Amino acid sequence: MSELQGIIGFEGQAINAWMVWIMPFIGASLIPALAKAGKRVRNYAAIGFALASAISAATLLPLAIEGGQIHSQINWIPILNIKAGVLVDSLSIFMANIVAWISLLIFIYSLGYMHGDRDLTRYWFLMLFFIGSMQLIVFSDNFLMLFFGWEGVGFASFALISFWYHDRKKDFVGTPGHYAGGIQMWASPSHAGLKAFLMTKAGDIMMLSGMFLIFGYAGTFGFTELIKDQSWATAMANNNLLVPAAVLIFGGAVGKSAQFPLNEWLLEAMTGPTPVSALIHAATMVKAGVFLVARIGPLFFAVSALNSSQFFEVVAWVGAITAFLLATQALVNPEIKKVLAYSTGSQIGLMMMGLGIAGLSASFVDGYTAGLFHLMSHAMFKASLFMGAGAVLHAVGSRFMTDMGGIRGKMKKTFLFMMMAGLSLAAAPFITSGFWSKDAILAAVLESGYHYSWALFAIAVMVSFMTAFYTFRMLGMTFFGDKSKFIQKSESSHQVHEVRAVMWVPFAILAVASIAVGLIGFVFEDQLTEMFSAYLANSFGIHSTVSVGHEIQSKGGSGTPFEGLNPIAVTASVGAFALGALLGGLVYMKRVISPQIVSKSIISRAVWKFFYNRWYLNTALYWGAVIGPLAIYRIVWRYFESTIIDGINPGLQGTMTYFSRVIKAGQTGIAQTYLFVFAAGIIIIIMLLFL
């Protein structure tokens, strides 16, 4: 591993990295005071601080392209020899710019979406705190500092998901009256926020345990220190603790990124305002888990001689299971934001699969680049789709797609840009960023050499097919067909119309960007591969031994950009899109096939209900973690506390009362009686001694 450039304090280019995460915190602290100066001052100041953070991140891009690295530290906890610092490398710069620029666009979008909300001061404070915490995660040079940002993200998400804590019915998610296994399947904002907080905390506890387990052997939380001296890994491996520690840290990523089995909170997080949903799903929170795996993955791969491959198997299979489970649920859900939420969890699963397969491959960079490429692609098109969905909600006044339909003529801009972003989500071949990033994951799986790669590949292809289908279903139900009865009824009071430019321009930029990157996808991926290859080689000593499927030079190609593509992966990607888009288009756009065909078969109805009831995972969660423990407590209270514990006190009281009466009866006040009892006692003691 090459030496990092070390800087003490806030000097040189390192100051920009510090400012990326400090500026949002400064902004958050000033928002309450700025609010007193006026609403416009407050609103534009919030955007200004987000812009300052984004510009600071952008200034670091040349460093990433050049393969440079900076490690800046200051004293934090001297008594424990713990320092705070920023680790500026290709990974952190790449992630920081995604977070910063997408967050900025969401902030601008918020000007229109949140206009008139009485709690905007609280909103801006939490949003700035949110992105500041996320950037702290990205630039932290040690586990402990990262964990502070991790908890900051958790706090902000809880407060923003439950932002409309008054729990008005219009802010609920889920279908009222829908039960599964006796469990209510709709949620209020306050309930959803608390659920997200508690479920992510389960992962946080695992993460904290893994961190301190490593600290116990290494004596440091620092990432660079851990890679320089790997004796800790040897000691942990000898005690069979290396893989458990890695899996425990991954548990934090499972919670934050809503991976199976801690995925249920993400679906109800849609109770928050749409900009919050876009931020959580595109730039922050759920991407934090992916970033964590990207940060620690090379570390554990670098000590792979100690057999840490089991860790990467866990990552890959958790991702695969999550991607499949949530894709099936997106097929049937009637709420536009929940479809996008299911999609997010599923796509995060594909990213995890890519990062997991990286550690199971001869060429670590293949899966690593694929996973991060898809992270970037997903951030663009999913933020665009969420903001577009928010525009539709504004115009229609309902969250249910069954209340929409036939509005593409009224909302031409929203339809166009949601269509572009939707094509990227569905992975339309050769013209969208989503195609290239998904194809990269499929190619990495095929070329990994992992003995179960065929199973992971099959799951990824099925997920790609389902993604294309539910994307066209969502677009078809929203924009195509006849106007719903809900729209026809509501048009008497207000007409469906296009939103203001302050709302549609941000998601238009991201939709166009997803297509623009797609048009140069094969070149763009090669550039990412080159950047991350240099990063992995310089920081961890990980060198690629097998060329990336898309990289032309190493393949020895004659010059055509498609020569380096894996033909099986491409065929599968194109086929999955074509079949999913065709079926979705015929059923929900052209309406050649009626969606009611599902109800004509007992089997299809049962499958539909099973998916709609979320595989009964939410039901199992509440029965196992809430209702069951409460029932046990009631039994304990009734038969132990109420009967035994509460019964002991009266019994003990009665016993003591009886003995007190007996003793009291002996208190006659006659001296001869006392002497007689005293003598009798002495005689008894003497007899006992002799016996």
Side-chain angles (χ1 to χ4, degrees):
M1 175 182 143
S2 65
E3 290 293 323
L4 298 176
Q5 179 185 350
I7 298 177
I8 305 300
F10 305 97
E11 301 176 16
Q13 208 171 3
I15 186 68
N16 293 338
W18 287 96
M19 288 297 102
V20 171
W21 66 268
I22 290 176
M23 287 300 296
F25 283 129
I26 294 175
S29 64
L30 293 176
I31 281 295
L34 292 170
K36 296 180 179 180
K39 295 179 180 180
R40 288 192 175 183
V41 174
R42 174 199 61 196
N43 296 346
Y44 291 120
I47 294 174
F49 281 108
L51 176 61
S53 177
I55 293 173
S56 296
T59 61
L60 299 171
L61 282 171
L63 186 68
I65 296 171
E66 296 168 1
Q69 296 172 317
I70 296 174
H71 187 197
S72 172
Q73 289 184 317
I74 59 173
N75 288 324
W76 184 17
I77 311 175
I79 194 170
L80 298 176
N81 196 30
I82 295 176
K83 296 180 179 180
V86 292
L87 184 58
V88 189
D89 52 29
S90 298
L91 174 62
S92 59
I93 296 170
F94 173 80
M95 190 70 187
N97 276 277
I98 293 173
V99 173
W101 290 104
I102 290 180
S103 297
L104 176 63
L105 291 172
I106 293 171
F107 271 48
I108 296 171
Y109 175 86
S110 297
L111 288 176
Y113 191 92
M114 299 298 293
H115 179 71
D117 195 287
R118 64 180 183 180
D119 293 319
L120 265 175
T121 300
R122 175 163 57 91
Y123 174 83
W124 288 123
F125 169 83
L126 291 169
M127 291 287 277
L128 285 166
F129 188 90
F130 205 166
I131 63 172
S133 298
M134 185 64 195
Q135 297 290 29
L136 176 59
I137 293 174
V138 170
F139 280 112
S140 292
D141 75 333
N142 63 83
F143 275 120
L144 189 61
M145 189 175 168
L146 183 148
F147 192 76
F148 274 85
W150 197 264
E151 291 304 297
V153 166
F155 162 75
S157 65
F158 161 70
L160 286 167
I161 292 170
S162 56
F163 182 78
W164 288 319
Y165 61 87
H166 302 288
D167 289 347
R168 298 166 297 186
K169 289 187 178 180
K170 70 182 187 70
D171 300 322
F172 283 34
V173 295
T175 305
H178 175 209
Y179 289 86
I183 300 300
Q184 177 180 307
M185 300 295 282
W186 71 99
S188 65
S190 58
H191 179 94
L194 184 61
K195 185 175 181 178
F197 182 81
L198 292 176
M199 291 195 71
T200 55
K201 282 297 164 285
D204 295 351
I205 291 171
M206 288 190 286
M207 178 181 173
L208 198 63
S209 301
M211 286 167 43
F212 278 99
L213 192 57
I214 292 176
F215 180 79
Y217 280 86
T220 181
F221 291 109
F223 299 131
T224 58
E225 291 81 2
L226 289 171
I227 195 63
K228 284 180 180 178
D229 182 5
Q230 299 180 17
S231 58
W232 62 273
T234 304
M236 294 186 72
N238 292 335
N239 291 297
N240 296 317
L241 290 174
L242 183 62
V243 172
V247 172
L248 282 171
I249 294 175
F250 176 61
V254 169
K256 280 289 190 290
S257 292
Q259 298 293 282
F260 178 81
L262 299 177
N263 58 282
E264 288 299 319
W265 71 265
L266 186 64
L267 317 173
E268 294 170 5
M270 299 301 100
T271 56
T274 295
V276 173
S277 302
L279 195 63
I280 289 176
H281 288 254
T284 58
M285 191 132 177
V286 296
K287 298 295 173 59
V290 181
F291 173 81
L292 178 63
V293 176
R295 177 61 82 193
I296 68 171
L299 173 65
F300 287 102
F301 186 81
V303 297
S304 58
L306 304 173
N307 193 27
S308 59
S309 61
Q310 295 168 335
F311 162 68
F312 293 101
E313 280 194 279
V314 171
V315 174
W317 280 105
V318 166
I321 293 169
T322 306
F324 183 81
L325 284 176
L326 297 189
T328 60
Q329 296 172 54
L331 296 173
V332 300
N333 200 273
E335 295 177 64
I336 187 169
K337 284 176 65 175
K338 286 191 76 173
V339 170
L340 294 174
Y342 285 117
S343 173
T344 293
S346 181
Q347 299 303 304
I348 293 289
L350 290 179
M351 299 172 207
M352 291 295 188
M353 184 190 296
L355 294 175
I357 207 69
L360 302 170
S361 308
S363 179
F364 186 88
V365 71
D366 287 14
Y368 194 80
T369 301
L372 292 174
F373 186 15
H374 197 50
L375 183 152
M376 187 199 77
S377 295
H378 180 264
M380 291 189 296
F381 62 68
K382 188 54 62 70
S384 181
L385 284 168
F386 263 112
M387 287 189 281
V392 173
L393 294 178
H394 249 257
V396 175
S398 173
R399 63 182 184 270
F400 294 98
M401 294 184 292
T402 49
D403 292 334
M404 303 173 188
I407 63 173
R408 65 183 185 278
K410 298 286 187 179
M411 303 184 71
K412 294 180 181 180
K413 296 185 181 69
T414 299
F415 166 66
L416 172 64
F417 297 120
M418 283 193 72
M419 195 70 188
M420 293 170 66
L423 286 173
S424 196
L425 170 60
F430 308 116
I431 62 169
T432 62
S433 62
F435 168 78
W436 294 106
S437 57
K438 286 184 184 179
D439 179 73
I441 293 173
L442 291 175
V445 171
L446 280 176
E447 298 169 4
S448 65
Y450 175 54
H451 51 284
Y452 291 119
S453 61
W454 59 270
L456 290 175
F457 181 79
I459 292 172
V461 172
M462 286 189 287
V463 170
S464 298
F465 159 73
M466 288 187 286
T467 302
F469 179 86
Y470 68 64
T471 300
F472 277 77
R473 171 181 177 266
M474 176 189 68
L475 294 171
M477 292 181 70
T478 303
F479 295 105
F480 288 79
D482 298 326
K483 293 180 180 178
S484 67
K485 292 181 179 179
F486 179 87
I487 292 180
Q488 293 176 17
K489 184 179 179 180
S490 62
E491 279 186 335
S492 60
S493 58
H494 77 280
Q495 293 288 326
V496 175
H497 60 278
E498 188 62 85
V499 294
R500 293 185 298 153
V502 72
M503 289 180 66
W504 68 258
V505 168
F507 64 80
I509 292 172
L510 291 171
V512 171
S514 68
I515 300 296
V517 173
L519 294 174
I520 58 167
F522 50 87
V523 176
F524 193 84
E525 185 185 348
D526 283 347
Q527 294 300 313
L528 284 181
T529 300
E530 183 179 345
M531 183 179 73
F532 287 123
S533 293
Y535 161 67
L536 293 169
N538 294 334
S539 298
F540 302 95
I542 300 173
H543 299 276
S544 179
T545 58
V546 180
S547 60
V548 178
H550 297 240
E551 193 169 9
I552 302 165
Q553 291 182 344
S554 61
K555 290 284 189 180
S558 59
T560 59
F562 302 102
E563 188 173 338
L565 295 176
N566 186 297
I568 300 175
V570 171
T571 303
S573 296
V574 174
F577 169 80
L579 184 58
L582 178 63
L583 289 176
L586 289 174
V587 177
Y588 295 101
M589 290 183 174
K590 295 294 185 182
R591 310 293 169 111
V592 175
I593 304 172
S594 174
Q596 301 302 321
I597 193 174
V598 175
S599 62
K600 295 181 179 180
S601 168
I602 297 177
I603 296 175
S604 61
R605 283 203 308 269
V607 172
W608 184 93
K609 185 178 180 180
F610 185 69
F611 291 164
Y612 184 56
N613 287 334
R614 295 154 59 169
W615 289 59
Y616 293 93
L617 294 174
N618 191 60
T619 302
L621 171 68
Y622 276 89
W623 278 104
V626 181
I627 298 175
L630 286 175
I632 295 172
Y633 167 75
R634 291 189 188 99
I635 293 171
V636 171
W637 176 83
R638 181 176 180 181
Y639 296 103
F640 183 74
E641 289 191 25
S642 183
T643 304
I644 299 175
I645 300 300
D646 292 347
I648 288 175
N649 290 331
L652 184 62
Q653 182 182 358
T655 303
M656 296 303 295
T657 301
Y658 172 77
F659 280 108
S660 67
R661 289 174 180 172
V662 172
I663 296 172
K664 184 179 179 181
Q667 304 300 309
T668 62
I670 303 173
Q672 293 90 334
T673 303
Y674 298 156
L675 289 172
F676 173 78
V677 173
F678 180 70
I682 293 175
I683 293 170
I684 292 171
I685 292 172
I686 293 171
M687 292 177 65
L688 290 171
L689 289 173
F690 278 103
L691 290 175

